[in-house]
Amino acid sequence: MERFLQGCKAVVQSEGLDFHVVLGNEACDLDSAVSAITLAYFLAKTSSSKNLAYVPVLNISREDFPLRTESTFFFKENRISEELLIFRDEIDLGGLYEAGRLGLSLVDHNVLSRADSFMEDVVTEVIDHRALERRQSRNCRVTAELVGSCTTLMTEKIIREAPHILDSQLASMLRGTIVLDCVNMAPAAGKVTPKDTEYVQILEAKFPDLPPRGTVFDSLQNAKFDVSGLTTDQMLRKDLKVLFSRDINLAVSAIYMDIEDFLRRTNLEKELQDFCQRHHYNVVVAMAIAFTSANEPRRQIAVYSQQEALRVAHHTAVSSPIRCHSSDH
């Protein structure tokens, strides 16, 4: 896998080659990232074409990748260096399209975003695990099934068409992603389907040295909510919703730590001010989510604004630009 990804990095800099890009969705969660890498690897290993480069592209900018904490953790665990990954801001898809040098496969989504819709005519394959939104086309092969993880469909494709490319590293990546998406294969969570279970069991039978499912799930779940290594700006952007009105640009950020710990961050007020200026928000609502010793969620809210009228819209006036509210549910 490392040699394949190194080759991808090299060819992106080259001139004259045609590219077939495997593009994940814009959320770029672990399922999307692993599916993109896996399908590009599969195509490169099974294609007879000598003048076509198969390249996985993670559909975010490189600077946003640290926000996907479960992905950064999981790739490191599976010996995949971040330096070998290719991000959306590192390849000119529009330029390749205009030059007639681009083909696309979509994984973990089945229609291009509005901004990318001009490239729709070069989409030749779709693999997704949600309801189809795209129109049927003779030129596009579609695999769509409502399973728990898109990676399940990638595992099925490899097992059926190219089982020889499976090794312990790839099996670990596939199995771990399915286990995370399907909430440790627990039926009560409502995510897992019989096909997800079937292919996890096949991978485990072929590679009995894979770590226990529960260990993998717990480590990924912990990594998903581990914000200890993030800056304040990254922490606020990790799980962000934005609401706009005539007078208000409101950022609502889920913060996965206790609000008191968040408020104790060094230079927090300056960092909140910089965050607002950089991204043109005039109110930030930080919704902190932490868990009690009984594993009950504790939700707390802090509101930041330099504008007093916005800060106190639903509270009595305070002098500080940060207002805090807590509740246990």
Side-chain angles (χ1 to χ4, degrees):
M1 181 65 78
E2 290 90 340
R3 188 177 302 171
F4 163 70
L5 293 173
Q6 286 169 351
C8 291
K9 289 289 284 189
V11 298
V12 165
Q13 311 300 327
S14 66
E15 298 288 337
L17 274 178
D18 290 340
F19 287 82
H20 189 95
V21 166
V22 182
L23 189 65
N25 65 40
E26 292 180 302
C28 196
D29 60 4
L30 186 62
D31 191 23
S32 179
V34 169
S35 293
I37 292 169
T38 302
L39 181 57
Y41 183 65
F42 168 89
L43 293 171
K45 287 291 188 180
T46 57
S47 171
S48 58
S49 175
K50 301 298 183 188
N51 297 314
L52 187 60
Y54 293 97
V55 176
V57 173
L58 277 60
N59 204 359
I60 54 172
S61 63
R62 181 174 287 275
E63 74 165 355
D64 284 341
F65 188 58
L67 311 186
R68 286 22 178 217
T69 48
E70 73 275 21
S71 295
T72 58
F73 166 81
F74 194 56
F75 284 133
K76 189 178 296 182
E77 285 285 294
N78 286 281
R79 308 182 310 281
I80 300 293
S81 168
E82 288 181 32
E83 296 305 311
L84 299 182
L85 303 176
I86 298 167
F87 295 88
R88 183 60 191 267
D89 57 334
E90 297 173 336
I91 184 168
D92 182 8
L93 296 186
L96 290 171
Y97 173 82
E98 294 296 336
R101 296 168 52 204
L102 180 66
L104 284 173
S105 289
L106 308 184
V107 292
D108 206 24
H109 65 315
N110 60 77
V111 290
L112 288 165
S113 68
R114 183 176 299 177
D116 289 338
S117 60
F118 68 94
M119 299 185 290
E120 187 62 51
D121 61 307
V122 298
V123 177
T124 60
E125 184 172 18
V126 165
I127 300 177
D128 195 13
H129 68 127
R130 66 201 73 205
L132 275 177
E133 299 175 49
R134 68 181 297 108
R135 296 174 181 168
Q136 288 188 336
S137 166
R138 271 186 237 166
N139 301 322
C140 182
R141 177 184 176 188
V142 175
T143 302
E145 191 172 342
L146 300 178
V147 293
S149 177
C150 187
T151 308
T152 296
L153 302 178
M154 286 308 315
T155 306
E156 179 181 45
K157 186 177 184 70
I158 291 170
I159 296 291
R160 287 184 174 181
E161 300 179 36
H164 62 280
I165 73 171
L166 262 180
D167 59 16
S168 59
Q169 181 188 39
L170 183 54
S172 172
M173 292 171 65
L174 294 168
R175 201 274 300 246
T177 305
I178 299 169
V179 165
L180 178 64
D181 275 355
C182 296
V183 196
N184 203 21
M185 319 309 288
K191 292 288 189 72
V192 68
T193 70
K195 180 168 281 192
D196 299 301
T197 300
E198 175 189 358
Y199 281 99
V200 162
Q201 290 174 343
I202 289 173
L203 291 170
E204 290 171 345
K206 286 180 175 292
F207 299 91
D209 290 338
L210 288 171
R213 290 180 196 172
T215 302
V216 172
F217 176 75
D218 288 345
S219 63
L220 279 168
Q221 193 75 349
N222 290 336
K224 191 173 185 177
F225 299 110
D226 180 9
V227 295
S228 59
L230 300 184
T231 66
T232 299
D233 183 272
Q234 290 173 330
M235 198 178 293
L236 292 167
R237 289 191 292 117
K238 178 174 170 60
D239 191 347
L240 173 69
K241 301 290 186 293
V242 181
L243 302 172
F244 295 103
S245 69
R246 187 177 64 181
D247 300 317
I248 299 176
N249 292 345
L250 171 67
V252 181
S253 299
I255 304 291
Y256 298 101
M257 66 191 307
D258 193 87
I259 200 70
E260 284 81 11
D261 293 333
F262 178 68
L263 294 176
R264 281 195 291 267
R265 290 177 71 88
T266 306
N267 298 323
L268 177 64
E269 188 174 331
K270 174 67 164 58
E271 290 179 332
L272 287 167
Q273 183 179 351
D274 291 345
F275 176 76
C276 288
Q277 290 177 345
R278 187 178 303 115
H279 304 290
H280 309 291
Y281 306 132
N282 51 18
V283 185
V284 177
V285 176
M287 296 196 308
I289 303 171
F291 291 87
T292 67
S293 57
N295 211 30
E296 293 290 327
R298 183 181 185 219
R299 294 180 174 87
Q300 304 158 295
I301 292 176
V303 179
Y304 170 85
S305 179
Q306 285 291 317
Q307 298 172 241
E308 185 176 353
L310 296 177
R311 188 166 65 244
V312 301
H314 303 291
H315 298 282
T316 55
V318 291
S319 59
S320 169
I322 303 174
R323 177 76 178 175
C324 188
H325 172 72
S326 300
S327 66
D328 292 315
H329 298 255

